[in-house]
Every structure is written in C-alpha cells, then in structure tokens.
C-alpha cells in the first residue's frame, strides 16, 4: 500500500538519513552484531560463495572475509540512507574522480561511452555523484523495484544530481533515442542474466558463471568506447572512482573479448579486497545449458 511505503520512507528512511555520519556508523556497528552474529542474514549464502570463490583459503580465512564483508555491508546500508538527503558538495567530497581526463578526452571528441563495473564498494554513492563528475550525461541501467512508490523514490534519489535512470526493459530504445547525444551508459556486469542461454559463460572466481553480454553488445553495435569503472574505499565513508579503458574501438574486437576483459578486471579487484563485493547475492544459481560453450 502506498501509505505504508510513504510512512516507511518519511518515518524511517529520511530521519535516519538526517543523522550525522558518526551516529550512522554507531548504528552500523550495532547492525553488524545483529545482522552477522545474531540473525545471520544470508550467512550460509555468503560463506558458501566465499568458499567456492577461494578454495585455497582456510576456513578461518573464509570466516574472516565474511566478517569483514558484513562490517562493510552495514556501512554501505547506512551510507545509502544518507544519499536521500546528501548535499551536492558532500557527495563530491566523498566520491572523488581519480582520472577524469579519460572521459574529458571523449567529451571533446563528442564520443559517447559505456561504463561497466560491479557491485563493489559503495555503488549507491557512486550513482548519486557520477553525473557531477563528468561532461557526459550519465545514464544507469537498473531493474525496477516491485514497490512502485519506493522505486520512484530510489530513482529520484539517484538522479537528483543529474543521473538518468532507465529500466532494463527499454535499453535498446534508450540507445536509439540518445545516439546523437553525449552519454555515458552504466552497466553492472555482475548481475545474474535472466536467461542463461543468452549469457556469456566463463569462469569467474573459480566457478562457471553466466555473465551479462549487454555492455559488449551495445559497445560493438554503436562502437562506443567501453571502460571498466573501479570504486576504491579510502576510509570509512570516502571513496575514489577510476577508469580502465577496455576498448577504444569495440566493433573490431573478437566476440567475447570485451566481456572477458571486464570479468577479469572485476575478478582482480575482488581478489585484492574481497570484503567489498556483494556476497549476499545468489550469483551462481544457474547451471550452464547443455551445449553452451564455456569461454
């Protein structure tokens, strides 16, 4: 019901968002104890994902990664609440752009680009701040929430400083609509594809994995340069964002080469600091269809 969603938004989300960061982190510390040690929210899923991804690590190392993940996860939750009321100045202070010259060069050439990354570190703060940090119009592909009221509030929050949100249902139409404008279209490469047979199958974190092919597909179709985006945590509440160029001329790349590079970039970041990836996601619930190649 709309009134219940509105009560939740204005009675819980906004009051929490207005709290100062030190208080939010006290809440996060308490939430960590509750979520990890008491409730054990998706603890079996998290530990199973970590064990399968790092088979060479000991069980104690698996538990250490899980514990560190839940601490970070609770921080991201309270920081995401903060985005409802964060100011433009504070958003730019807490999400720094390391190498903006890469995108500026494409803006000078009037070339649209595709940005691809994963659910790594604080992607919610990134979504709020990204359009402030570039000359391109930032466009994010997202899956609509079932709750229409909260979906609208989420879109308005992420888009309050310029980001344009579009549903996964109209991606092709949006590319056609914006093809004469200067855009940077953002994909999450670690989403689980809805249809296994349409995915690009490869190994990711030591497991057969279905990877979305959309970033490569649209990069090749429109020949937009494609970049991998990395969010790094500097300290609690502060992040940096940087780009690695994957391909400047995607139409000349062999099939799967772009997707393979994106997968390896994300995999490298996760292996370096695994606590910052979203381990609660049931990422490996699909099996490779018979006859599908594994690249």
């Amino acid at each position: 019901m709309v009134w219940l969603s509105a009560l939740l938004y204005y009675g819980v989300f906004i009051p929490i968002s207005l709290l100062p960061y030190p208080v939010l982190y006290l809440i996060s510390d308490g939430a960590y104890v509750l979520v990890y040690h008491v409730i054990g929210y998706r603890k079996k899923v998290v530990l199973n994902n970590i064990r399968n991804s790092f088979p060479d690590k000991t069980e104690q190392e698996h538990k250490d990664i899980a514990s560190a993940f839940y601490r970070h996860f609770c921080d991201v939750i309270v920081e995401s609440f903060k985005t409802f009321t964060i100011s433009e100045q504070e958003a730019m202070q807490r999400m720094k752009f390391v190498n903006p010259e890469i995108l500026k060069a494409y803006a000078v050439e009037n070339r649209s680009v595709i940005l691809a990354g994963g659910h790594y570190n604080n992607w919610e703060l990134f979504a709020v701040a990204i359009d402030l940090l570039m000359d391109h119009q930032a466009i994010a592909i997202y899956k609509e929430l079932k709750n229409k009221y909260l979906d609208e509030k989420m879109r308005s929050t992420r888009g309050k400083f310029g980001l344009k949100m579009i549903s996964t249902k109209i991606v092709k139409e949006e590319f056609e609509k914006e093809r004469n404008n200067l855009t940077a279209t953002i994909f999450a490469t670690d989403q689980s594809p809805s249809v296994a047979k349409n995915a690009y199958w490869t190994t990711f974190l030591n497991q057969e994995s279905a990877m979305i092919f959309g970033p490569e597909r649209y990069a090749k179709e429109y020949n937009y340069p494609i970049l991998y985006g990395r969010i790094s945590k500097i300290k609690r509440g502060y992040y940096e964002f940087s780009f690695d160029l994957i391909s400047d001329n995607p139409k000349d790349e062999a099939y799967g080469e772009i997707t393979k590079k994106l997968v390896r970039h994300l995999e490298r970041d996760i292996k370096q600091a695994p606590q910052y990836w979203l381990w609660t996601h049931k990422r490996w619930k699909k099996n490779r269809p018979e006859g599908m190649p594994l690249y």
Side-chain angles (χ1 to χ4, degrees), residues 138-163:
I139 299 174
I141 313 297
Y142 87 108
K143 187 175 182 179
E144 295 177 1
L145 300 177
K146 291 181 180 180
N147 186 311
K148 298 300 181 183
Y149 183 88
L150 294 181
D151 181 77
E152 190 279 327
K153 292 300 182 184
M154 182 271 289
R155 287 189 290 108
S156 64
T157 296
R158 289 180 176 179
K160 64 182 176 180
F161 299 138
L163 175 69

Side-chain angles (χ1 to χ4, degrees), residues 8-288:
L8 180 66
Y9 179 75
Y10 288 105
V12 179
F13 293 176
I14 294 302
I16 292 176
S17 180
L18 292 171
L19 295 172
Y21 275 96
V23 176
L24 287 175
Y25 288 130
L26 286 176
I27 294 174
S28 176
D29 291 341
Y32 160 74
V33 175
L34 182 65
V35 171
Y36 181 59
H37 292 288
V38 179
I39 298 175
Y41 171 71
R42 292 203 171 186
K43 197 170 181 179
K44 290 183 179 179
V45 173
V46 169
L47 281 169
N48 189 55
N49 284 342
I50 292 172
R51 289 184 186 113
N52 292 336
S53 298
F54 303 103
D56 295 335
K57 293 185 181 296
T58 66
E59 182 62 14
Q60 185 57 52
E61 288 175 315
H62 295 151
K63 291 180 179 179
D64 290 343
I65 292 172
S67 177
F69 158 71
Y70 276 98
R71 285 192 179 278
H72 171 71
F73 180 61
C74 291
D75 276 1
V76 170
I77 290 173
V78 297
E79 289 167 5
S80 297
F81 276 119
K82 193 66 176 177
T83 62
F84 287 117
T85 56
I86 197 170
S87 68
E88 181 176 320
Q89 181 181 9
E90 189 163 39
M92 294 182 70
Q93 288 176 344
R94 291 179 175 273
M95 181 64 71
K96 297 286 188 180
F97 202 166
V98 174
N99 52 350
E101 65 278 0
I102 295 179
L103 279 186
K104 286 185 179 295
Y106 287 124
V108 170
E109 296 173 1
N110 199 35
R111 296 184 70 187
S112 292
V113 300
I114 290 177
L115 311 179
H119 288 86
Y120 191 78
N121 270 310
N122 194 331
W123 59 91
E124 290 292 343
L125 180 58
F126 163 79
V128 171
I130 186 60
D131 199 72
L132 298 169
L133 306 175
M134 62 171 68
D135 296 321
H136 292 72
Q137 168 63 60
I139 299 174
I141 313 297
Y142 87 108
K143 187 175 182 179
E144 295 177 1
L145 300 177
K146 291 181 180 180
N147 186 311
K148 298 300 181 183
Y149 183 88
L150 294 181
D151 181 77
E152 190 279 327
K153 292 300 182 184
M154 182 271 289
R155 287 189 290 108
S156 64
T157 296
R158 289 180 176 179
K160 64 182 176 180
F161 299 138
L163 175 69
K164 183 177 180 180
M165 304 285 296
I166 66 166
S167 168
T168 54
K169 300 175 183 177
I170 57 169
V171 176
K172 175 62 177 177
E173 293 91 328
E174 190 66 23
F175 268 95
E176 284 297 311
K177 179 182 175 181
E178 298 284 357
R179 68 184 306 160
N180 294 321
N181 299 323
L182 185 66
T183 61
T185 306
I186 304 163
F187 287 85
T189 61
D190 53 1
Q191 294 277 28
S192 183
S194 56
V195 182
K197 66 180 182 179
N198 293 338
Y200 178 89
W201 283 84
T202 187
T203 55
F204 172 57
L205 294 174
N206 293 299
Q207 299 160 85
E208 288 192 3
S209 306
M211 311 303 297
I212 64 169
F213 197 67
E216 175 168 336
R217 171 192 168 189
Y218 290 107
K220 291 174 74 70
E221 182 174 348
Y222 294 92
N223 203 33
Y224 289 168
I226 183 165
L227 304 100
Y228 171 78
R230 176 183 300 103
I231 303 173
S232 302
K233 190 170 187 175
I234 306 308
K235 60 180 180 179
R236 209 173 196 184
Y238 290 87
Y239 302 86
E240 287 183 345
F241 186 74
S242 60
F243 291 120
D244 289 340
L245 179 62
I246 299 298
S247 178
D248 185 66
N249 197 34
K251 68 178 182 180
D252 291 338
E253 298 279 359
Y255 172 84
E257 188 65 21
I258 288 171
T259 303
K260 181 178 72 174
K261 290 178 181 178
L262 291 172
V263 170
R264 298 301 163 236
H265 274 67
L266 177 60
E267 189 176 57
R268 176 197 61 194
D269 289 346
I270 294 171
K271 287 181 176 180
Q272 288 178 348
Q275 68 271 29
Y276 297 141
W277 194 50
L278 186 61
W279 292 101
T280 53
H281 182 39
K282 294 182 179 179
R283 183 66 183 76
W284 290 279
K285 59 186 177 182
K286 291 182 174 65
N287 295 319
R288 180 163 55 99

